Amino acid sequence: MQKADFLEWLREGSISIPAALLTEYKNMHLTEKELVLLLQVLHFAEKGNEFPTPAELSGRMASSAFDCTEMLRTLIQKGFIEIKDGFSPDGIRFEKYSLDPFWEKLIDRFLQSRKQERVHARQVEET
Amino acid sequence: MQKADFLEWLREGSISIPAALLTEYKNMHLTEKELVLLLQVLHFAEKGNEFPTPAELSGRMASSAFDCTEMLRTLIQKGFIEIKDGFSPDGIRFEKYSLDPFWEKLIDRFLQSRKQERVHARQVEET
Amino acid sequence: MQKADFLEWLREGSISIPAALLTEYKNMHLTEKELVLLLQVLHFAEKGNEFPTPAELSGRMASSAFDCTEMLRTLIQKGFIEIKDGFSPDGIRFEKYSLDPFWEKLIDRFLQSRKQERVHARQVEET
Amino acid sequence: MQKADFLEWLREGSISIPAALLTEYKNMHLTEKELVLLLQVLHFAEKGNEFPTPAELSGRMASSAFDCTEMLRTLIQKGFIEIKDGFSPDGIRFEKYSLDPFWEKLIDRFLQSRKQERVHARQVEET
């Protein structure tokens, strides 16, 4: 093992995900495959690619490009991902994925879980 | 939305995963379900539970407790997880999952990918 | 460099801090020394030590134990840290630092910055 | 507090730093001010600004632009930061900070601490 390899590891960096995502995705009716696809889209965006192709996604996933296309379609239909227009500095239009609807759903779901816990805590107190 | 909810979100914190994990798990012959199960085991350990039951894991996953038991068994057989003995301050023995073999496999896989890139870069230069 | 060293690096893990902390600590009237001290307290807590001594903190900081004592005192006075009582499973009382007041201040400060941006955006629109 | 504020918080994201950085910066002869300046440079780079000005850095730090200029100069002299040339897609040259020397120093320092621990452990065994 060489120091250059370690340096490359550090350069690739880490991805930080809210702990609530791991505890709530099930309640958001997402499968593990869909969750990981969303993380891949996030990671591509952090590296500057805001519109990864199904082939690029499938290159990192245990799913075919066809399956990735299907999953993207499903996630758009269920309102987790949106396709938005962006414009480059030279005015060229491009498409990109926005995960804002996904974050909004996560916030909603987290707030709902908190409410349920409070109701539950009150019921326990009253008995 | 209340400030107490936001505070709770911050208290739950974030999980940090090496970027290499997202790009290499496929080459490590892990499925998305197995990847997420490993992340769940990591997250439980960070919160102080080093031996989550299949029921606890299944409570957060789109998989039954039976499926989680099977996946844990497979991951142990394939050498990603180990069961180790720990001892509490009062000398009571307990079992815990160790993900060290998983991290070792990730390092090996990362180094192998780096080697392939170097070979590939040399071939491109020579042509 | 040995693989065991790399494994140890992975075991030590990463610390995840909200980006807002880096952009807002100045507006919270915290110095860099105080910010890093708070991060050290957070990191000790994540590793299971919820009441690090000034000597332990100073062992990792470019500040003497005396300076760390003074900084802790200041942070408590300014309402960033609280000392709270905890109880071990055997009923033994212990003291620990709570950073809840610090997170609350960060939330307040973040919301205030957002409000200022909105006011500013409206003023720009009107002119 | 509005949901839009929470969404903005999520969009700003988190910064992930290796735990070894918090335990080793002191041994790398970095002050807290210098450590935070390096984190700010990292964070600017993640957001697409690879050559923040002293004024931009000072806008987020409890230090004047003059002090930031001095600190940057010192960090370059001590070999933590390098100024490198980059080229935009249209062939325009620009300057950017590289933190590679800083990561290399952190790796060296981490490996040295590990060696010292091993020597120490052997000495304890022999007595």
Side-chain angles (χ1 to χ4, degrees):
Chain A
M1 170 158 204
Q2 299 162 27
K3 216 172 103 180
D5 294 321
F6 204 160
L7 191 59
E8 183 58 28
W9 177 280
L10 291 187
R11 265 208 220 98
E12 295 226 350
S14 295
I15 296 143
S16 200
I17 53 173
L21 186 51
L22 275 190
T23 52
E24 298 291 354
Y25 76 87
K26 178 203 185 136
N27 296 326
M28 293 162 77
H29 308 293
L30 286 167
T31 66
E32 279 79 21
K33 257 188 195 302
E34 290 169 335
L35 172 66
V36 176
L37 185 108
L38 289 166
L39 295 182
Q40 298 283 12
V41 170
L42 271 176
H43 184 45
F44 269 108
E46 278 177 9
K47 296 290 178 186
N49 180 353
E50 295 185 292
F51 202 59
T53 64
E56 283 171 321
L57 290 164
S58 149
R60 297 187 178 174
M61 294 184 68
S63 309
S64 66
F66 179 81
D67 287 348
C68 288
T69 308
E70 280 306 300
M71 267 194 285
L72 284 167
R73 195 200 309 272
T74 309
L75 289 169
I76 291 168
Q77 273 171 357
K78 288 206 238 164
F80 285 98
I81 302 185
E82 256 174 26
I83 297 182
K84 288 216 161 178
D85 282 349
F87 290 89
S88 76
D90 350 0
I92 295 164
R93 210 188 63 135
F94 61 88
E95 290 188 308
K96 60 178 180 175
Y97 291 121
S98 161
L99 295 192
D100 281 0
F102 164 61
W103 293 124
E104 286 197 47
K105 275 180 193 291
L106 177 57
I107 296 171
D108 287 342
R109 185 54 240 178
F110 175 75
L111 295 177
Q112 211 178 320
S113 288
R114 291 268 302 157
K115 214 187 227 167
Q116 283 167 356
E117 279 166 32
R118 276 195 291 263
V119 169
H120 185 71
R122 220 173 304 137
Q123 284 170 341
V124 169
E125 265 174 41
E126 283 169 13
T127 52
Chain B
M1 170 156 204
Q2 298 163 28
K3 215 172 103 182
D5 294 320
F6 204 161
L7 191 59
E8 183 58 26
W9 178 279
L10 291 186
R11 266 209 220 99
E12 295 224 353
S14 295
I15 296 143
S16 201
I17 53 174
L21 186 51
L22 275 191
T23 52
E24 298 291 353
Y25 76 87
K26 176 201 186 139
N27 296 324
M28 295 162 77
H29 308 293
L30 286 167
T31 66
E32 278 79 22
K33 257 188 195 303
E34 289 169 336
L35 172 67
V36 175
L37 185 108
L38 289 166
L39 295 181
Q40 298 283 12
V41 170
L42 271 176
H43 183 46
F44 269 108
E46 278 178 8
K47 295 288 178 189
N49 179 354
E50 294 185 290
F51 203 59
T53 64
E56 282 171 322
L57 290 163
S58 148
R60 294 186 180 175
M61 293 183 69
S63 309
S64 68
F66 179 81
D67 287 347
C68 288
T69 308
E70 281 306 300
M71 269 194 283
L72 284 168
R73 194 199 311 271
T74 308
L75 288 169
I76 290 169
Q77 273 171 357
K78 290 206 237 165
F80 285 98
I81 302 185
E82 257 175 25
I83 297 182
K84 289 216 159 177
D85 280 349
F87 289 89
S88 76
D90 352 358
I92 294 164
R93 209 186 63 132
F94 61 88
E95 291 188 307
K96 59 176 180 178
Y97 291 120
S98 162
L99 295 191
D100 281 0
F102 164 62
W103 293 124
E104 287 198 44
K105 275 179 194 290
L106 176 58
I107 296 171
D108 287 342
R109 185 53 241 179
F110 176 74
L111 295 178
Q112 211 179 317
S113 287
R114 291 268 302 156
K115 215 186 226 166
Q116 284 167 355
E117 279 166 31
R118 275 195 292 263
V119 169
H120 184 72
R122 223 173 302 137
Q123 285 170 341
V124 169
E125 267 173 40
E126 284 167 13
T127 53
Chain C
M1 171 158 201
Q2 299 162 28
K3 215 172 104 180
D5 293 322
F6 203 162
L7 190 59
E8 182 58 27
W9 178 280
L10 291 186
R11 264 209 221 98
E12 294 225 352
S14 295
I15 296 144
S16 202
I17 53 174
L21 186 50
L22 276 190
T23 51
E24 297 292 353
Y25 76 87
K26 177 202 186 139
N27 296 325
M28 293 161 78
H29 307 295
L30 286 168
T31 66
E32 279 78 22
K33 257 189 194 302
E34 289 168 336
L35 172 66
V36 176
L37 184 109
L38 288 166
L39 295 181
Q40 298 283 13
V41 170
L42 270 176
H43 183 46
F44 269 108
E46 279 177 8
K47 297 289 178 188
N49 179 353
E50 294 185 292
F51 202 60
T53 63
E56 283 171 319
L57 291 164
S58 148
R60 296 186 178 174
M61 293 184 69
S63 310
S64 67
F66 179 81
D67 286 348
C68 288
T69 308
E70 280 306 300
M71 268 194 285
L72 285 167
R73 195 200 311 270
T74 308
L75 289 168
I76 291 169
Q77 272 170 357
K78 288 207 238 164
F80 286 98
I81 303 185
E82 256 174 25
I83 297 182
K84 287 216 161 178
D85 281 349
F87 290 89
S88 77
D90 350 1
I92 294 163
R93 210 189 63 135
F94 61 88
E95 290 188 309
K96 61 178 179 176
Y97 290 121
S98 162
L99 295 192
D100 280 1
F102 165 62
W103 294 124
E104 286 197 45
K105 275 179 194 290
L106 177 58
I107 296 170
D108 288 342
R109 185 54 240 179
F110 176 75
L111 295 177
Q112 211 178 320
S113 288
R114 292 269 302 157
K115 214 186 226 166
Q116 284 167 354
E117 279 165 32
R118 276 196 291 263
V119 168
H120 185 72
R122 220 173 304 136
Q123 284 170 339
V124 169
E125 266 173 41
E126 284 169 12
T127 53
Chain D
M1 171 158 203
Q2 299 164 28
K3 216 172 102 182
D5 293 321
F6 204 160
L7 190 58
E8 183 58 27
W9 177 280
L10 290 187
R11 266 209 221 100
E12 295 225 350
S14 293
I15 296 143
S16 202
I17 53 175
L21 186 51
L22 275 191
T23 51
E24 298 291 354
Y25 75 88
K26 177 202 185 136
N27 296 325
M28 294 163 77
H29 308 294
L30 286 167
T31 65
E32 279 78 21
K33 257 188 195 300
E34 290 169 335
L35 172 67
V36 175
L37 185 109
L38 289 166
L39 295 182
Q40 298 283 11
V41 171
L42 272 175
H43 183 46
F44 270 108
E46 279 178 7
K47 295 290 177 188
N49 179 353
E50 294 185 290
F51 202 60
T53 63
E56 283 172 321
L57 291 164
S58 148
R60 294 186 180 174
M61 295 183 68
S63 309
S64 67
F66 179 81
D67 286 348
C68 288
T69 307
E70 281 306 300
M71 268 195 284
L72 284 167
R73 194 199 311 271
T74 308
L75 289 168
I76 290 169
Q77 273 170 358
K78 290 207 236 165
F80 285 99
I81 303 185
E82 257 174 25
I83 296 182
K84 289 216 159 177
D85 281 349
F87 289 89
S88 76
D90 350 359
I92 294 164
R93 210 187 62 133
F94 61 89
E95 291 188 307
K96 60 177 179 177
Y97 291 120
S98 162
L99 294 192
D100 281 0
F102 164 62
W103 293 124
E104 287 197 45
K105 276 179 193 289
L106 177 59
I107 296 170
D108 288 342
R109 186 53 241 180
F110 176 74
L111 295 177
Q112 210 179 318
S113 287
R114 290 269 302 156
K115 214 185 228 166
Q116 284 167 355
E117 279 166 32
R118 276 196 291 264
V119 168
H120 185 73
R122 222 174 303 136
Q123 285 170 342
V124 169
E125 265 173 41
E126 283 169 14
T127 51

